[in-house]
Amino acid sequence: MIEARDLHYRYEEEGDVLDGVGFRIEPGEKMVLLGANSSGKSTLLKILAGLLFPSRGSYSYKGKPVTRGALRKRDFARAFRREVGLLFQNPDAMLFQSTVYDEIAFGPRQFGLEGVEERVRRWAETLGVERRLGRPPFHLSGGEKQKVCLAAVLAVDPEVLLLDEPTSHMDPRSTGWLVDFLRESGRTTVVTTHNLSLAAELGDRTIVIGENHRLIYDGPIGPLLEDREALLAANLMHAHKHEHDGLEHKHFHTHDWD
Ligand SMILES: Nc1ncnc2c1ncn2[C@@H]1O[C@H](COP(=O)(O)OP(=O)(O)OP(=O)(O)O)[C@@H](O)[C@H]1O
Ligand SMILES: [Mg+2]
């Protein structure tokens, strides 16, 4: 479905933020993308969504190269944009319509899909934002914004979901819903998170981008979660000090629900 080879990306001000990253993702595969802050996860998802283009290396989708030139061709661009959906890390970067309704309807209208109203209502209800449909998105809470963005992505029924920290603003019930939804869905997914407890529920395979911007792990998630050294080295876990009963202890932490 997705083949990335030797991807490099550099921002002028920053230098290389991806330094030779490559992997394949099969149809229906659920992959979790891990890495410390600034390692390049969001940049990688934007490349996979065809919003940024690698400075070196190649990316192909269903066997076809995804390049600026390819996306100038109407048929390919239309199919690719419809089939590959990206949920941005920052909901404010996605929301630009005057109402929640229009926000969710935007994609279906853009692609001329049938049953726009039905799609909007279904996804708004599924994500629990149906009572907000008439409101401007910028009045919503952080979690509501994230749900509206997710509803907008799902309303066009993409085959590939690229979700950049989708649960960062969500409460436990909504997070649980998303985990179940992804598990039951046949869609190919790539999800980033800093929550290691959640990572194991979001997919079976993980790739880790190191602080050197290279791929430092690609494989099943279970063994990685047991490898404390690897987690510390990738800055996915840290050690800090606590006091218990007046005694100082050093603990390892993933800083999520454990
Ligand atoms: N538009 C941009 N212009 C310049 N530098 C950028 C731009 N976007 C990102 N960067 C830089 O590229 C690096 C990688 O950013 P990216 O957002 O891909 O990291 P990330 O792994 O998603 O981090 P986080 O866990 O904080 O979301 C960071 O150092 C960031 O400051
Ligand atoms: Mg990011």
Side-chain angles (χ1 to χ4, degrees), residues 11-14 17 35-44 46 89 164-165 194 213:
Y11 292 108
E12 212 44 60
E13 309 89 319
E14 185 67 33
V17 299
N37 289 143
S38 320
S39 54
K41 303 178 300 298
S42 296
T43 304
L44 177 57
K46 285 177 191 163
Q89 178 169 1
D164 201 348
E165 301 192 30
H194 286 288
H213 308 294

PDB file of all heavy atoms in Angstrom, residues 11-14 17 35-44 46 89 164-165 194 213, ligand 1:
ATOM      1  N   TYR A  11      14.131  21.092   6.576  1.00  0.00           N
ATOM      2  CA  TYR A  11      13.567  22.444   6.643  1.00  0.00           C
ATOM      3  C   TYR A  11      14.763  23.390   6.622  1.00  0.00           C
ATOM      4  O   TYR A  11      15.758  23.142   7.316  1.00  0.00           O
ATOM      5  CB  TYR A  11      12.790  22.665   7.945  1.00  0.00           C
ATOM      6  CG  TYR A  11      11.521  21.863   8.071  1.00  0.00           C
ATOM      7  CD1 TYR A  11      11.454  20.790   8.951  1.00  0.00           C
ATOM      8  CD2 TYR A  11      10.389  22.188   7.341  1.00  0.00           C
ATOM      9  CE1 TYR A  11      10.283  20.053   9.089  1.00  0.00           C
ATOM     10  CE2 TYR A  11       9.212  21.452   7.478  1.00  0.00           C
ATOM     11  CZ  TYR A  11       9.166  20.391   8.352  1.00  0.00           C
ATOM     12  OH  TYR A  11       8.014  19.672   8.492  1.00  0.00           O
ATOM     13  N   GLU A  12      14.646  24.436   5.856  1.00  0.00           N
ATOM     14  CA  GLU A  12      15.754  25.383   5.675  1.00  0.00           C
ATOM     15  C   GLU A  12      16.376  25.794   7.017  1.00  0.00           C
ATOM     16  O   GLU A  12      17.572  25.691   7.227  1.00  0.00           O
ATOM     17  CB  GLU A  12      15.209  26.616   4.930  1.00  0.00           C
ATOM     18  CG  GLU A  12      16.195  27.298   4.013  1.00  0.00           C
ATOM     19  CD  GLU A  12      17.006  26.322   3.155  1.00  0.00           C
ATOM     20  OE1 GLU A  12      16.426  25.554   2.361  1.00  0.00           O
ATOM     21  OE2 GLU A  12      18.233  26.335   3.321  1.00  0.00           O
ATOM     22  N   GLU A  13      15.503  26.203   7.958  1.00  0.00           N
ATOM     23  CA  GLU A  13      16.012  26.736   9.233  1.00  0.00           C
ATOM     24  C   GLU A  13      16.537  25.638  10.153  1.00  0.00           C
ATOM     25  O   GLU A  13      17.266  25.914  11.098  1.00  0.00           O
ATOM     26  CB  GLU A  13      14.889  27.460  10.008  1.00  0.00           C
ATOM     27  CG  GLU A  13      14.106  28.496   9.237  1.00  0.00           C
ATOM     28  CD  GLU A  13      12.910  27.904   8.512  1.00  0.00           C
ATOM     29  OE1 GLU A  13      13.034  26.797   7.932  1.00  0.00           O
ATOM     30  OE2 GLU A  13      11.851  28.549   8.506  1.00  0.00           O
ATOM     31  N   GLU A  14      16.142  24.391   9.897  1.00  0.00           N
ATOM     32  CA  GLU A  14      16.320  23.336  10.891  1.00  0.00           C
ATOM     33  C   GLU A  14      17.373  22.304  10.493  1.00  0.00           C
ATOM     34  O   GLU A  14      17.999  21.689  11.345  1.00  0.00           O
ATOM     35  CB  GLU A  14      14.946  22.650  11.075  1.00  0.00           C
ATOM     36  CG  GLU A  14      14.867  21.601  12.136  1.00  0.00           C
ATOM     37  CD  GLU A  14      15.027  22.164  13.534  1.00  0.00           C
ATOM     38  OE1 GLU A  14      14.605  23.300  13.773  1.00  0.00           O
ATOM     39  OE2 GLU A  14      15.610  21.431  14.365  1.00  0.00           O
ATOM     40  N   VAL A  17      15.440  16.684   9.100  1.00  0.00           N
ATOM     41  CA  VAL A  17      14.573  16.156  10.151  1.00  0.00           C
ATOM     42  C   VAL A  17      14.138  14.724   9.841  1.00  0.00           C
ATOM     43  O   VAL A  17      13.544  14.062  10.684  1.00  0.00           O
ATOM     44  CB  VAL A  17      13.346  17.055  10.439  1.00  0.00           C
ATOM     45  CG1 VAL A  17      13.794  18.426  10.906  1.00  0.00           C
ATOM     46  CG2 VAL A  17      12.433  17.171   9.254  1.00  0.00           C
ATOM     47  N   GLY A  35       8.420   8.258  18.582  1.00  0.00           N
ATOM     48  CA  GLY A  35       9.647   9.051  18.531  1.00  0.00           C
ATOM     49  C   GLY A  35       9.514  10.238  19.463  1.00  0.00           C
ATOM     50  O   GLY A  35       8.401  10.685  19.760  1.00  0.00           O
ATOM     51  N   ALA A  36      10.646  10.747  19.918  1.00  0.00           N
ATOM     52  CA  ALA A  36      10.649  11.895  20.826  1.00  0.00           C
ATOM     53  C   ALA A  36      10.132  13.149  20.110  1.00  0.00           C
ATOM     54  O   ALA A  36       9.981  13.146  18.886  1.00  0.00           O
ATOM     55  CB  ALA A  36      12.082  12.141  21.309  1.00  0.00           C
ATOM     56  N   ASN A  37       9.904  14.207  20.873  1.00  0.00           N
ATOM     57  CA  ASN A  37       9.555  15.501  20.267  1.00  0.00           C
ATOM     58  C   ASN A  37      10.632  15.878  19.247  1.00  0.00           C
ATOM     59  O   ASN A  37      11.823  15.641  19.488  1.00  0.00           O
ATOM     60  CB  ASN A  37       9.519  16.628  21.321  1.00  0.00           C
ATOM     61  CG  ASN A  37       8.347  16.514  22.274  1.00  0.00           C
ATOM     62  OD1 ASN A  37       8.476  16.805  23.456  1.00  0.00           O
ATOM     63  ND2 ASN A  37       7.200  16.096  21.785  1.00  0.00           N
ATOM     64  N   SER A  38      10.227  16.438  18.142  1.00  0.00           N
ATOM     65  CA  SER A  38      11.142  16.937  17.090  1.00  0.00           C
ATOM     66  C   SER A  38      11.841  15.852  16.290  1.00  0.00           C
ATOM     67  O   SER A  38      12.703  16.161  15.469  1.00  0.00           O
ATOM     68  CB  SER A  38      12.251  17.848  17.648  1.00  0.00           C
ATOM     69  OG  SER A  38      11.771  18.687  18.626  1.00  0.00           O
ATOM     70  N   SER A  39      11.507  14.577  16.531  1.00  0.00           N
ATOM     71  CA  SER A  39      12.227  13.525  15.796  1.00  0.00           C
ATOM     72  C   SER A  39      11.826  13.508  14.314  1.00  0.00           C
ATOM     73  O   SER A  39      12.599  13.037  13.476  1.00  0.00           O
ATOM     74  CB  SER A  39      11.982  12.158  16.447  1.00  0.00           C
ATOM     75  OG  SER A  39      10.603  11.914  16.565  1.00  0.00           O
ATOM     76  N   GLY A  40      10.644  14.005  13.990  1.00  0.00           N
ATOM     77  CA  GLY A  40      10.240  14.070  12.576  1.00  0.00           C
ATOM     78  C   GLY A  40       8.955  13.323  12.247  1.00  0.00           C
ATOM     79  O   GLY A  40       8.622  13.153  11.080  1.00  0.00           O
ATOM     80  N   LYS A  41       8.186  12.916  13.274  1.00  0.00           N
ATOM     81  CA  LYS A  41       6.971  12.125  13.047  1.00  0.00           C
ATOM     82  C   LYS A  41       5.924  12.877  12.210  1.00  0.00           C
ATOM     83  O   LYS A  41       5.388  12.338  11.248  1.00  0.00           O
ATOM     84  CB  LYS A  41       6.332  11.717  14.389  1.00  0.00           C
ATOM     85  CG  LYS A  41       7.235  10.935  15.300  1.00  0.00           C
ATOM     86  CD  LYS A  41       6.555  10.618  16.624  1.00  0.00           C
ATOM     87  CE  LYS A  41       6.120  11.828  17.426  1.00  0.00           C
ATOM     88  NZ  LYS A  41       7.214  12.726  17.849  1.00  0.00           N
ATOM     89  N   SER A  42       5.647  14.116  12.620  1.00  0.00           N
ATOM     90  CA  SER A  42       4.601  14.864  11.902  1.00  0.00           C
ATOM     91  C   SER A  42       5.052  15.153  10.469  1.00  0.00           C
ATOM     92  O   SER A  42       4.241  15.109   9.535  1.00  0.00           O
ATOM     93  CB  SER A  42       4.290  16.182  12.617  1.00  0.00           C
ATOM     94  OG  SER A  42       3.756  15.913  13.894  1.00  0.00           O
ATOM     95  N   THR A  43       6.345  15.418  10.310  1.00  0.00           N
ATOM     96  CA  THR A  43       6.880  15.661   8.971  1.00  0.00           C
ATOM     97  C   THR A  43       6.688  14.411   8.107  1.00  0.00           C
ATOM     98  O   THR A  43       6.262  14.499   6.950  1.00  0.00           O
ATOM     99  CB  THR A  43       8.385  16.014   9.078  1.00  0.00           C
ATOM    100  OG1 THR A  43       8.509  17.136   9.954  1.00  0.00           O
ATOM    101  CG2 THR A  43       8.982  16.323   7.725  1.00  0.00           C
ATOM    102  N   LEU A  44       6.959  13.247   8.689  1.00  0.00           N
ATOM    103  CA  LEU A  44       6.793  11.995   7.946  1.00  0.00           C
ATOM    104  C   LEU A  44       5.331  11.795   7.544  1.00  0.00           C
ATOM    105  O   LEU A  44       5.028  11.436   6.403  1.00  0.00           O
ATOM    106  CB  LEU A  44       7.298  10.820   8.802  1.00  0.00           C
ATOM    107  CG  LEU A  44       7.132   9.438   8.202  1.00  0.00           C
ATOM    108  CD1 LEU A  44       7.815   9.313   6.850  1.00  0.00           C
ATOM    109  CD2 LEU A  44       7.681   8.370   9.154  1.00  0.00           C
ATOM    110  N   LYS A  46       3.133  14.062   7.028  1.00  0.00           N
ATOM    111  CA  LYS A  46       2.788  15.027   5.961  1.00  0.00           C
ATOM    112  C   LYS A  46       3.329  14.559   4.611  1.00  0.00           C
ATOM    113  O   LYS A  46       2.708  14.793   3.572  1.00  0.00           O
ATOM    114  CB  LYS A  46       3.320  16.420   6.303  1.00  0.00           C
ATOM    115  CG  LYS A  46       2.486  17.089   7.389  1.00  0.00           C
ATOM    116  CD  LYS A  46       3.052  18.433   7.773  1.00  0.00           C
ATOM    117  CE  LYS A  46       2.376  18.964   9.021  1.00  0.00           C
ATOM    118  NZ  LYS A  46       3.162  20.046   9.643  1.00  0.00           N
ATOM    119  N   GLN A  89      -1.852  17.099  13.858  1.00  0.00           N
ATOM    120  CA  GLN A  89      -1.571  17.119  15.296  1.00  0.00           C
ATOM    121  C   GLN A  89      -2.302  18.289  15.964  1.00  0.00           C
ATOM    122  O   GLN A  89      -2.831  18.162  17.056  1.00  0.00           O
ATOM    123  CB  GLN A  89      -0.054  17.242  15.500  1.00  0.00           C
ATOM    124  CG  GLN A  89       0.358  17.314  16.947  1.00  0.00           C
ATOM    125  CD  GLN A  89       1.863  17.154  17.100  1.00  0.00           C
ATOM    126  OE1 GLN A  89       2.586  17.008  16.127  1.00  0.00           O
ATOM    127  NE2 GLN A  89       2.335  17.182  18.321  1.00  0.00           N
ATOM    128  N   ASP A 164      -2.204  11.934  13.619  1.00  0.00           N
ATOM    129  CA  ASP A 164      -1.070  12.510  14.342  1.00  0.00           C
ATOM    130  C   ASP A 164      -1.492  12.872  15.765  1.00  0.00           C
ATOM    131  O   ASP A 164      -2.149  13.877  15.990  1.00  0.00           O
ATOM    132  CB  ASP A 164      -0.581  13.755  13.580  1.00  0.00           C
ATOM    133  CG  ASP A 164       0.852  14.106  13.939  1.00  0.00           C
ATOM    134  OD1 ASP A 164       1.385  13.546  14.921  1.00  0.00           O
ATOM    135  OD2 ASP A 164       1.443  14.956  13.238  1.00  0.00           O
ATOM    136  N   GLU A 165      -1.141  12.018  16.697  1.00  0.00           N
ATOM    137  CA  GLU A 165      -1.524  12.160  18.107  1.00  0.00           C
ATOM    138  C   GLU A 165      -3.027  12.416  18.264  1.00  0.00           C
ATOM    139  O   GLU A 165      -3.446  13.419  18.842  1.00  0.00           O
ATOM    140  CB  GLU A 165      -0.694  13.265  18.773  1.00  0.00           C
ATOM    141  CG  GLU A 165       0.792  12.934  18.680  1.00  0.00           C
ATOM    142  CD  GLU A 165       1.677  13.799  19.554  1.00  0.00           C
ATOM    143  OE1 GLU A 165       1.203  14.245  20.605  1.00  0.00           O
ATOM    144  OE2 GLU A 165       2.836  13.983  19.170  1.00  0.00           O
ATOM    145  N   HIS A 194       2.492   9.642  22.134  1.00  0.00           N
ATOM    146  CA  HIS A 194       3.558   9.616  23.142  1.00  0.00           C
ATOM    147  C   HIS A 194       3.152   8.722  24.308  1.00  0.00           C
ATOM    148  O   HIS A 194       3.861   8.608  25.286  1.00  0.00           O
ATOM    149  CB  HIS A 194       3.840  11.035  23.660  1.00  0.00           C
ATOM    150  CG  HIS A 194       4.576  11.878  22.669  1.00  0.00           C
ATOM    151  ND1 HIS A 194       5.897  11.665  22.369  1.00  0.00           N
ATOM    152  CD2 HIS A 194       4.174  12.898  21.903  1.00  0.00           C
ATOM    153  CE1 HIS A 194       6.293  12.544  21.460  1.00  0.00           C
ATOM    154  NE2 HIS A 194       5.250  13.300  21.163  1.00  0.00           N
ATOM    155  N   HIS A 213      16.933  11.278  13.842  1.00  0.00           N
ATOM    156  CA  HIS A 213      16.039  11.337  12.672  1.00  0.00           C
ATOM    157  C   HIS A 213      16.150  10.126  11.758  1.00  0.00           C
ATOM    158  O   HIS A 213      15.772  10.187  10.593  1.00  0.00           O
ATOM    159  CB  HIS A 213      16.260  12.632  11.874  1.00  0.00           C
ATOM    160  CG  HIS A 213      16.194  13.856  12.735  1.00  0.00           C
ATOM    161  ND1 HIS A 213      15.040  14.259  13.366  1.00  0.00           N
ATOM    162  CD2 HIS A 213      17.156  14.740  13.093  1.00  0.00           C
ATOM    163  CE1 HIS A 213      15.290  15.351  14.069  1.00  0.00           C
ATOM    164  NE2 HIS A 213      16.572  15.662  13.919  1.00  0.00           N
TER     165      HIS A 213
HETATM  166  N1  LIG B   1       7.549  24.340   8.861  1.00  0.00           N
HETATM  167  C1  LIG B   1       8.686  24.154   9.531  1.00  0.00           C
HETATM  168  N2  LIG B   1       9.750  24.975   9.340  1.00  0.00           N
HETATM  169  C2  LIG B   1      10.917  24.770   9.992  1.00  0.00           C
HETATM  170  N3  LIG B   1      11.121  23.762  10.866  1.00  0.00           N
HETATM  171  C3  LIG B   1      10.106  22.931  11.084  1.00  0.00           C
HETATM  172  C4  LIG B   1       8.840  23.068  10.444  1.00  0.00           C
HETATM  173  N4  LIG B   1       8.016  22.084  10.872  1.00  0.00           N
HETATM  174  C5  LIG B   1       8.734  21.363  11.743  1.00  0.00           C
HETATM  175  N5  LIG B   1       9.981  21.858  11.876  1.00  0.00           N
HETATM  176  C6  LIG B   1      11.047  21.323  12.724  1.00  0.00           C
HETATM  177  O1  LIG B   1      11.321  20.002  12.301  1.00  0.00           O
HETATM  178  C7  LIG B   1      11.558  19.146  13.425  1.00  0.00           C
HETATM  179  C8  LIG B   1      10.635  17.944  13.341  1.00  0.00           C
HETATM  180  O2  LIG B   1       9.307  18.399  13.518  1.00  0.00           O
HETATM  181  P1  LIG B   1       8.077  17.406  13.598  1.00  0.00           P
HETATM  182  O3  LIG B   1       6.877  18.246  13.791  1.00  0.00           O
HETATM  183  O4  LIG B   1       8.105  16.497  12.421  1.00  0.00           O
HETATM  184  O5  LIG B   1       8.435  16.573  14.913  1.00  0.00           O
HETATM  185  P2  LIG B   1       7.568  15.511  15.728  1.00  0.00           P
HETATM  186  O6  LIG B   1       8.361  14.258  15.816  1.00  0.00           O
HETATM  187  O7  LIG B   1       6.211  15.425  15.155  1.00  0.00           O
HETATM  188  O8  LIG B   1       7.529  16.167  17.182  1.00  0.00           O
HETATM  189  P3  LIG B   1       6.341  16.229  18.309  1.00  0.00           P
HETATM  190  O9  LIG B   1       6.433  14.947  19.096  1.00  0.00           O
HETATM  191  O10 LIG B   1       6.712  17.409  19.136  1.00  0.00           O
HETATM  192  O11 LIG B   1       5.041  16.398  17.605  1.00  0.00           O
HETATM  193  C9  LIG B   1      11.369  20.016  14.663  1.00  0.00           C
HETATM  194  O12 LIG B   1      12.638  20.374  15.162  1.00  0.00           O
HETATM  195  C10 LIG B   1      10.622  21.224  14.172  1.00  0.00           C
HETATM  196  O13 LIG B   1      10.980  22.398  14.877  1.00  0.00           O
END
